[in-house]
């Protein structure tokens, strides 16, 4: 019997998840399918009834449904509750379980791109205080980073985020970068700045330690202005594409029963679909 999985969103035609999971299914010769399904917000409850009927083994959730599915899941794991978003659904015995694999994708990407990055990491800077920042904060907390500084245009939003997640987090405006940078071993951009030609103004990356790592969860363009500036200073960088690939691994394993690998060939296949 064909095992079926999906990604839902509205709109959904931009998603690269079918290419990722379709490649893994083909590589392993699994009798399975993975399809993109456009589900409008008002149609979510009816779609969850389809899930409970056993039509699918599970699937992914993308914008704008990551928060809305909370109320529809039969259970949600504790970390997803802290992050405030569900991106992966697993159906078992007619029940829908929600989880979030974005933090695992973030960790997997850095572990592959900069092995040992979290060893003795004392301080980190996270740019942005939106939904994506939550997953990154949970990830950094899990690796025991002593102090994480959240920088955001609206400091109150950064402070609210720091208060929501239990950990050693502090809130600042972007102007604090110059003061905080000399002790920061990691800079993570979780904001949308870097897309559509946008760039940070006034971030002096030259103030970072020579061994600092700069990463961006934006992957279109693959080399954002932030990463380009970091590379020009010979700082270590990791782009955001690997996060997309690594966050897909746990879901595939849950639905199809085998853990896939993020290979250079897979990465190249997705790279070919990106805007350059």
């Amino acid at each position: 019997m064909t095992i079926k999985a999906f990604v839902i969103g509205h709109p959904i035609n931009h998603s690269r998840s079918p290419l990722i999971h379709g490649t893994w299914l083909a590589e392993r010769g699994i009798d399975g399918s993975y399809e993109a399904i456009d589900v409008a917000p008002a149609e979510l409850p009816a779609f969850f009834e389809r899930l409970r009927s056993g039509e699918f083994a599970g699937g992914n959730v993308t914008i704008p449904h990551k928060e809305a599915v909370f109320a529809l899941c039969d259970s949600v794991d504790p970390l997803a509750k802290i992050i405030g978003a569900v991106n992966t659904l697993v159906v078992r015995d007619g029940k829908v379980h929600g989880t979030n694999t974005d933090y695992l994708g973030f960790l997997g990407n850095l572990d592959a791109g900069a092995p040992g990055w979290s060893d003795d990491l004392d301080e980190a800077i996270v740019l942005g205080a939106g939904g994506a920042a939550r997953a990154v904060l949970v990830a950094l907390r899990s690796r025991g980073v002593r102090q994480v500084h959240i920088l955001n245009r609206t400091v109150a939003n950064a402070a609210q985020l720091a208060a929501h997640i239990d950990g050693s987090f502090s809130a600042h405006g972007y102007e604090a970068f110059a003061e905080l940078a000399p002790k920061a071993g990691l800079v993570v951009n979780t904001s949308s700045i870097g897309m559509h030609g946008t760039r940070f103004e006034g971030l002096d990356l030259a103030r970072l330690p020579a061994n600092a790592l700069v990463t961006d969860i934006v992957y279109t363009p693959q080399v954002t202005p932030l990463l380009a500036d970091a590379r020009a200073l010979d700082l270590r960088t990791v782009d955001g594409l690997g996060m997309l690939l690594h966050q897909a691994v746990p879901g595939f394993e849950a639905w199809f029963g085998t853990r896939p690998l993020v290979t250079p060939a897979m990465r190249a296949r997705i790279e070919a679909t990106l805007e350059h």
Side-chain angles (χ1 to χ4, degrees), residues 66-67 77-87 99-108 110 117 126-143 145 148 150 161-162 164-165 169 186 188-191 217 243 247:
K66 285 187 175 186
E67 291 80 23
D77 77 31
L79 278 181
K81 289 179 180 176
I82 292 171
I83 293 169
V86 164
N87 76 336
T99 185
N100 188 300
T101 64
D102 283 334
Y103 79 99
L104 294 172
F106 174 78
L107 293 174
L110 291 193
W117 66 274
V126 172
L127 304 172
R134 293 177 176 230
V136 169
L137 292 178
V138 166
L140 295 178
R141 185 182 69 174
S142 75
R143 291 294 175 91
V145 182
V148 179
I150 308 165
L161 182 56
H164 178 75
I165 301 177
F169 307 125
L186 172 71
V188 186
N189 177 35
T190 70
S191 77
I217 69 167
M243 182 172 172
Q247 65 79 29

Side-chain angles (χ1 to χ4, degrees), residues 13 87 109 146 167 209 232 252 274:
N13 57 356
N87 76 336
N109 186 31
R146 186 184 64 79
F252 188 95
L274 301 179

Side-chain angles (χ1 to χ4, degrees), residues 198-214:
T198 56
R199 64 182 302 127
F200 287 99
E201 298 299 335
L203 288 191
D204 186 2
L205 299 185
R207 294 186 63 80
L208 291 166
N211 64 344
L213 172 65
V214 179

Side-chain angles (χ1 to χ4, degrees), residues 3-273:
I3 303 169
K4 296 172 64 178
F6 60 84
V7 57
I8 56 170
H10 185 68
I12 195 59
N13 57 356
H14 66 283
S15 177
R16 291 172 177 82
S17 293
L19 179 57
I20 295 170
H21 291 279
T23 298
W24 284 333
L25 287 170
E27 282 177 356
R28 285 159 174 72
I30 293 171
D31 182 9
S33 67
Y34 185 101
E35 62 181 311
I37 305 174
D38 193 316
V39 178
E43 299 167 352
L44 270 179
F47 185 79
F48 266 68
E49 288 310 307
R50 289 174 64 184
L51 287 184
R52 293 188 179 94
S53 75
E55 183 178 346
F56 298 97
N60 290 120
V61 181
T62 189
I63 295 169
H65 301 320
K66 285 187 175 186
E67 291 80 23
V69 297
F70 256 87
L72 296 169
C73 288
D74 297 296
S75 63
V76 176
D77 77 31
L79 278 181
K81 289 179 180 176
I82 292 171
I83 293 169
V86 164
N87 76 336
T88 303
L89 303 171
V90 178
V91 183
R92 291 199 185 96
D93 302 321
K95 303 285 187 183
V96 183
H97 176 66
T99 185
N100 188 300
T101 64
D102 283 334
Y103 79 99
L104 294 172
F106 174 78
L107 293 174
N109 186 31
L110 291 193
D111 287 343
W117 66 274
S118 60
D119 296 346
D120 304 317
L121 179 58
D122 205 36
E123 294 190 31
I125 292 173
V126 172
L127 304 172
R134 293 177 176 230
V136 169
L137 292 178
V138 166
L140 295 178
R141 185 182 69 174
S142 75
R143 291 294 175 91
V145 182
R146 186 184 64 79
Q147 183 68 46
V148 179
H149 306 290
I150 308 165
L151 276 56
N152 196 53
R153 185 174 290 110
T154 305
V155 180
N157 291 351
Q160 188 176 18
L161 182 56
H164 178 75
I165 301 177
D166 184 36
S168 299
F169 307 125
S170 60
H172 312 267
Y174 285 127
E175 68 279 358
F177 185 88
E179 177 189 348
L180 298 171
K183 291 185 178 180
L186 172 71
V187 175
V188 186
N189 177 35
T190 70
S191 77
S192 60
I193 296 174
M195 299 176 71
H196 313 300
T198 56
R199 64 182 302 127
F200 287 99
E201 298 299 335
L203 288 191
D204 186 2
L205 299 185
R207 294 186 63 80
L208 291 166
N211 64 344
L213 172 65
V214 179
T215 186
D216 203 321
I217 69 167
V218 169
Y219 60 87
T220 50
Q222 203 172 333
V223 180
T224 61
L226 180 71
L227 295 182
D229 290 347
R231 290 180 181 180
L233 293 167
D234 289 327
L235 294 170
R236 293 182 298 157
T237 63
V238 174
D239 66 47
L241 180 58
M243 182 172 172
L244 173 71
L245 298 171
H246 285 278
Q247 65 79 29
V249 170
F252 188 95
E253 183 176 22
W255 310 319
F256 300 111
T258 179
R259 189 171 183 84
L261 299 175
V262 177
T263 61
M266 164 68 87
R267 185 182 174 90
R269 192 163 187 190
I270 304 303
E271 281 180 349
T273 73

